[in-house]
Amino acid sequence: QAILCLPRSFEYSQKNAVLVPAAALGVGGMLLYWLRSARKTKTIDMGDGWWGSGERPLKGKEDASIRPFKIETSDKEIEDLHRRLDQFRFTPHVEGAAFHYGFNSSYLRKVVAYWRNQFDWRKQVEELNKYPHFHTTIEGIDIHFIHVKPPYVPHGRAVKPLLMVHGWPGSFYEFYKIIPLLTEPAKHGLNEGDVVFEVICPSIPGYGFSEAPHQKEFDSIATARIFHKLMNRLGFKEYYLQGGDWGSRITTNMAQMLPQSVKGLHLNLVFIASQSLGKLIRIMLGAYVPWLVGLSREDVRRFYPFVQKNVYDVLRESGYLHIQATKPDTAGCGLNDSPVGLAAYILEKFSTWTDKSFLHKDDGGLESKYSLDELLTNVMIYWVTSSIVSSMRYYKENFSKDPHLNAHDRVGVYVPTGIAAFPQEIVHIPRVWAKDVYKNIITYSYMPRGGHFAAFEEPKLLAQDIMQFVQKVEQL
C-alpha cells in the first residue's frame, strides 16, 4: 500500500513544484502592479478648447505671437466717467448701519467725491504701464499678462519663473506691490538664499484686459490649460505657481493637470469643500481634544466657535456668490452701467474680506489698509474694460459643473506645496485638512496678520513666505 502511494505523492510534489512558484509569481505580479499603479499620480486631462466667436476655424494655426500692449485712456473716457459720477443718486442709510447692510452710503459719498475731483486716472495709467504688458491669442481669445524680469541678477543667483494668478474682484494690479520684492529681493531687504524671480501675472479671461470667452462653460480647468499654454509659449518648461481666491483654484488645477511642469505651488487660500461623517466627527472632537484630530492651538483659535466662523460668517459674506453662480448677467448689467454701483459692489469686499471687524466701521476700514487711489485703480480696470459681467459669469461656469468645488479633490496634488494661512481669511483650513488634497505640503505658515487680498495688503509677508517655500523646494 505504501509502495502504491509513492507514485501518487511524487505526482503531487511535481504539481506543487509547478503550482507554488506560479502562485507566488502571480501574487507578486499583482502586488507589483498595485504598487506601480498606486505610485502613478492621477492627473486631470488637459483636453482642448475654443472660446472665440463662432465656430473654430478648420484650417490654419493660431497666431502664437507675443504682442506688446499698453493701457491707454482718452478725454472721452474720463468725461463719460465724470458725467456718470455727477449723476450719483444718494440713498440714505439707516442710523448705525456701518457696513452691516453693505457699503455705507455716507462713506460712498466721500469715495465718489474723491473719485470725481481728486483721482487722476491718467496718472494711474502711467503707474499700470510701468511693467511690460502683453497680449497673445490662445484658444481663440486674447490673453493679457504682465511679465517682469529682474533688472539685475547677482552672480550665482538662479532666476525662477513664477506665475501669479488673481481672483475676484481683484486683478493683475493686486501684485504691483509684491513684484519688486520678488524681482529685486536684496534691494528690499529680502535675502532668501539664491532665489530671484521673474514674475508673470495674467488676467483671467473675462477679467480686465483679457478677452471674455464667447462660449459657455469656461471654467478653472480651461483657465489652467490656457495658462500652461501661455507659460510654454514664453519658453518655460518648469515653473512655480502662486494664487489666492480663484487663483488658488486655477493654480491647483494646473498642478493636477501637468505636475511635471510645476516645480512648486504656493497658495494663500485653500478650497477644501468635501463633507463626510469623519470630518464632522473631527470638527466636534476638535473643540475639546484638538490634539486628537491633529489641530494646533492656532487652528482652534481661528476655527472655533465653528458655527459662527464657518456658517454664519460665510453665509453673510457669500450673498454675491449665489447671484453670480446663478444669474450673473442680471445684476451685472446694472454694475456695468453705473461706476458708483460698481465701486460699492467691489470695494465692500475689500472691506470685510480684509478684516471681519471692519463690518462695524462707518468707513469699512478701507483706508487703514489701502489708499483710495489703489482701490479705485482696481475698480477702474473693471470699468474701462466693461469686464464686471464676464468676471461674474466665471462663478456660474464653475459652480454649474461643480456645486461644491470639490470634483477634483480626489485627484490630489502631489507637487511640493506651500500654504500661507492668513488670520483674516474668509475660512481657515487647518494643515491636517489641507493634506487630504495637497499630499506634499512643504511649508504651512500661520501668518501673523492679513486677510483675503494678501499680495495687495501684506506684500512683504507674502513675499517672504513664497521665498522661504521656494528655497526649501530647491533644496529637496
Side-chain angles (χ1 to χ4, degrees):
Q1 209 171 13
I3 293 169
L4 288 172
C5 287
L6 280 174
R8 204 176 299 168
S9 62
F10 177 72
E11 192 179 319
Y12 283 137
S13 64
Q14 269 197 321
K15 282 184 179 177
N16 287 340
V18 175
L19 288 173
V20 171
L25 192 65
V27 170
M30 289 172 67
L31 185 63
L32 184 65
Y33 175 80
W34 178 81
L35 286 170
R36 288 187 65 182
S37 62
R39 199 180 299 169
K40 189 179 179 182
T41 304
K42 287 183 180 178
T43 57
I44 293 174
D45 181 37
M46 191 164 179
D48 200 7
W50 169 259
W51 310 103
S53 182
E55 294 291 323
R56 187 172 199 159
L58 295 174
K59 293 181 181 179
K61 289 185 177 180
E62 194 164 64
D63 177 9
S65 63
I66 307 289
R67 306 179 293 277
F69 170 74
K70 194 173 181 181
I71 298 170
E72 296 177 342
T73 188
S74 64
D75 290 340
K76 184 179 178 182
E77 184 176 74
I78 294 169
E79 286 165 9
D80 176 66
L81 171 69
H82 287 174
R83 177 182 60 80
R84 291 169 188 265
L85 293 176
D86 286 337
Q87 295 175 351
F88 166 45
R89 292 200 303 172
F90 174 73
T91 305
H93 57 78
V94 296
E95 292 180 13
F99 263 58
H100 288 277
Y101 286 72
F103 206 102
N104 183 286
S105 56
S106 291
Y107 180 62
L108 185 59
R109 244 180 180 169
K110 179 189 172 183
V111 172
V112 172
Y114 181 88
W115 199 359
R116 174 63 178 86
N117 302 311
Q118 291 172 264
F119 178 76
D120 187 343
W121 176 231
R122 290 189 186 279
K123 181 182 174 184
Q124 294 308 117
V125 166
E126 285 182 24
E127 169 70 11
L128 290 171
N129 282 326
K130 76 177 182 180
Y131 294 131
H133 292 249
F134 303 91
H135 266 152
T136 190
T137 306
I138 303 177
E139 297 188 7
I141 52 177
D142 283 347
I143 305 301
H144 161 262
F145 64 98
I146 57 174
H147 186 181
V148 187
K149 298 179 181 180
Y152 168 72
V153 182
H155 180 70
R157 293 257 175 136
V159 180
K160 306 296 179 185
L162 174 66
L163 180 83
M164 304 188 79
V165 185
H166 66 88
W168 187 93
S171 64
F172 66 93
Y173 178 60
E174 282 181 72
F175 301 116
Y176 267 51
K177 293 185 214 175
I178 199 172
I179 286 172
L181 307 183
L182 296 169
T183 56
E184 301 177 86
K187 183 178 177 181
H188 299 276
L190 297 171
N191 294 305
E192 288 294 338
D194 298 324
V195 177
V196 179
F197 295 97
E198 61 177 295
V199 181
I200 301 93
C201 300
S203 295
I204 298 170
Y207 288 69
F209 299 98
S210 276
E211 186 178 353
H214 297 268
Q215 311 295 331
K216 293 188 292 184
E217 299 185 359
F218 183 86
D219 60 3
S220 63
I221 300 295
T223 315
R225 181 178 64 245
I226 282 175
F227 288 172
H228 271 308
K229 289 182 178 181
L230 171 64
M231 294 301 278
N232 290 335
R233 194 169 286 185
L234 292 172
F236 300 116
K237 292 182 179 178
E238 285 188 320
Y239 31 89
Y240 285 92
L241 307 175
Q242 202 287 324
D245 196 88
W246 279 123
S248 169
R249 168 86 167 179
I250 293 163
T251 54
T252 294
N253 289 159
M254 289 178 75
Q256 293 166 319
M257 187 178 283
L258 290 178
Q260 67 273 23
S261 296
V262 180
K263 287 205 74 177
L265 170 67
H266 187 279
L267 307 172
N268 55 277
L269 174 66
V270 174
F271 287 101
I272 303 286
S274 58
Q275 301 298 326
S276 65
L277 181 61
K279 187 169 282 188
L280 182 61
I281 292 169
R282 280 192 281 173
I283 290 167
M284 292 168 68
L285 290 173
Y288 304 101
V289 282
W291 50 270
L292 192 63
V293 292
L295 299 184
S296 69
R297 286 184 180 179
E298 186 61 22
D299 288 326
V300 172
R301 196 178 70 78
R302 297 185 183 192
F303 205 55
Y304 298 96
F306 180 81
V307 174
Q308 176 64 49
K309 292 186 175 181
N310 298 275
V311 180
Y312 293 155
D313 287 357
V314 171
L315 282 173
R316 185 190 66 227
E317 294 301 328
S318 60
Y320 80 98
L321 186 150
H322 299 280
I323 292 171
Q324 294 177 192
T326 52
K327 297 184 179 180
D329 286 32
T330 305
C333 67
L335 301 177
N336 195 47
D337 192 56
S338 166
V340 179
L342 180 68
Y345 196 72
I346 288 176
L347 297 187
E348 183 245 307
K349 305 307 177 197
F350 280 87
S351 167
T352 47
W353 291 3
T354 296
D355 192 316
K356 298 175 185 74
S357 70
F358 287 173
L359 196 70
H360 310 297
K361 295 178 178 285
D362 289 340
D363 64 355
L366 282 166
E367 290 177 79
S368 65
K369 294 287 186 175
Y370 317 101
S371 71
L372 283 180
D373 279 347
E374 289 170 346
L375 293 168
L376 288 171
T377 296
N378 184 64
V379 173
M380 284 295 289
I381 289 169
Y382 281 85
W383 176 254
V384 300
T385 58
S386 293
S387 61
I388 188 62
V389 179
S390 51
S391 76
M392 291 164 71
R393 283 181 194 145
Y394 201 64
Y395 284 77
K396 182 173 179 64
E397 305 297 16
N398 280 284
F399 280 94
S400 293
K401 291 181 180 178
D402 184 8
H404 301 290
L405 290 187
N406 65 354
H408 302 109
D409 285 1
R410 62 183 175 274
V411 173
V413 176
Y414 294 88
V415 304
T417 303
I419 297 171
F422 284 83
Q424 290 294 330
E425 185 54 89
I426 301 165
V427 290
H428 173 68
I429 301 296
R431 180 176 185 145
V432 68
W433 284 24
K435 282 165 64 179
D436 289 346
V437 175
Y438 300 90
K439 310 295 186 182
N440 190 12
I441 298 175
I442 304 297
T443 62
Y444 182 100
S445 309
Y446 296 101
M447 307 305 282
R449 62 185 179 276
H452 188 70
F453 303 98
F456 204 42
E457 181 194 351
E458 295 288 351
K460 194 163 188 177
L461 281 180
L462 184 62
Q464 285 172 327
D465 201 70
I466 293 168
M467 287 179 170
Q468 287 165 7
F469 163 68
V470 171
Q471 192 68 26
K472 285 192 176 183
V473 175
E474 290 295 314
Q475 291 169 355
L476 291 175

